[in-house]
Amino acid sequence: MRLLFVASAVGPLGTGIAGGVELNLLNLAHALQARGHVVHIVAPAGSRTGEIPLVWQAQGLPPAFAQGETRDSPVILPQPSVLANLWEGARALQNDYDLIVNWGYDWLPLYLTRFFQTPVLHVISMGSLLDHIDSAIAQVLSDCPGTVAVHSQAQAETFVGIENLVILPCGMDLSAYTFCSKPENYLVWIGRIAPEKGLEDALAAAALAKLPLYVLGRLQDPGYFAQIQADNPGAILKYCGFLPTDEMQSVVGKAKALLVTPKWIEAFGNVVVEALACGVPVIAYRRGGPAETVLDAITGFLTPPDDPSALVAAIAKLDTIDRARCRAHAEENYTLSVMTDRFETWFRKLDKSQKPI
Ligand code: UDP
């Protein structure tokens, strides 16, 4: 197959601005290329795509983060629009490809789908946040059934009234993560530092458990970060920045546990699989995708959402978790190879003959 991947408009690939979707897109592109498919990328200018050809770099201003909008927010494209330019690239190049895959969470590509000659598939990496996106997804599915995928059952359920979303869990290249059998005395938290990710609860729990908390990830909201540190003066927080996977996993691997404390319905939570791959137990709120990837009392603990004291109780039971079982769970369920099988099967079903004339 000849595939054109269109990246999220919110930031260049490789910066972490778009979150886990960046790793998913690049990992899948490499894996599909290794299987003999042609994969090219259209992405914001400044993107780093390794050996995958970046065939169009879009200039312009990014859209606002959907997490900061209200449900009835209008569609706003700052001018010049990087999103419009990404899709101008896809339009110009479309005849060279069998499928176009949209990795963004935006109204525009959903709306444009029916005007393309080449089929467009959509990988949606967030739960339902905006009414105009829900309506556009429903329209796309009524035109072309089976062309919209999400990453977990919990994420699919946020799209009320929208049936038949394809569920494709993520997978990681586990060879990039080293198993660590003996932890050091700290906890870890990974993610974009932004209110929906709920770092403050992990910080409160770490302070109560009297353990340092290492924090890794892109600092998206500095005001929020300063506030939660001021609110938790007893916490020992070590901010490591946004690290490349290799450096990230060496810090994560030595942790006693990963805390996952989202305030929103996390679509999947790549960081859960990345921690498990290092043998690190995961203590996660029973909310969204992580509740489907963590096996309670086996690869970590699932706790009632928004309750740091329940996290502390789980931290006290960490000695009952077998770190080798954590790694094995990732190997059995969340390899990049399994993810690639899932996506390859989905792509093959949706060739050009599906497109209504
Ligand atoms: N990440 C990283 N370096 C860091 C911290 C995080 O590369 O220092 C990556 C991590 O590998 C993961 C992504 O950031 O793929 C976060 O994705 P996740 O699905 O957990 O959350 P999202 O940001 O998409 O809500």
Side-chain angles (χ1 to χ4, degrees), residues 258-271:
L258 171 75
L259 302 183
V260 184
T261 48
K263 296 285 162 184
W264 69 346
I265 307 280
E266 188 79 46
F268 183 77
N270 280 356
V271 299

Side-chain angles (χ1 to χ4, degrees), residues 123-134:
V123 181
I124 302 292
S125 300
M126 290 195 275
S128 169
L129 292 173
L130 300 169
D131 289 340
H132 61 67
I133 293 203
D134 283 14

Side-chain angles (χ1 to χ4, degrees), residues 18-21 23 125 172 177 190-192 197 216-218 241-245 248 264 266 268-272 274:
V21 67
L23 191 69
S125 300
M172 305 292 143
Y177 303 84
I190 322 170
R192 288 173 296 105
K197 307 292 278 186
L216 298 91
R218 197 176 166 86
F242 179 81
L243 301 178
T245 300
M248 181 189 84
W264 69 346
E266 188 79 46
F268 183 77
N270 280 356
V271 299
V272 171
E274 294 178 279

Side-chain angles (χ1 to χ4, degrees), residues 226-238:
Q227 185 62 52
I228 64 170
Q229 289 179 84
D231 292 345
N232 289 283
I236 305 166
L237 182 150
K238 182 170 177 211

Side-chain angles (χ1 to χ4, degrees), residues 51-88:
E51 306 95 75
I52 311 296
L54 179 59
V55 290
W56 182 285
Q57 298 203 45
Q59 304 281 350
L61 299 170
F65 290 108
Q67 304 93 293
E69 307 281 302
T70 52
R71 284 212 68 89
D72 58 354
S73 294
V75 179
I76 296 175
L77 301 185
Q79 297 301 313
S81 163
V82 70
L83 178 62
N85 288 336
L86 287 173
W87 287 89
E88 176 54 26

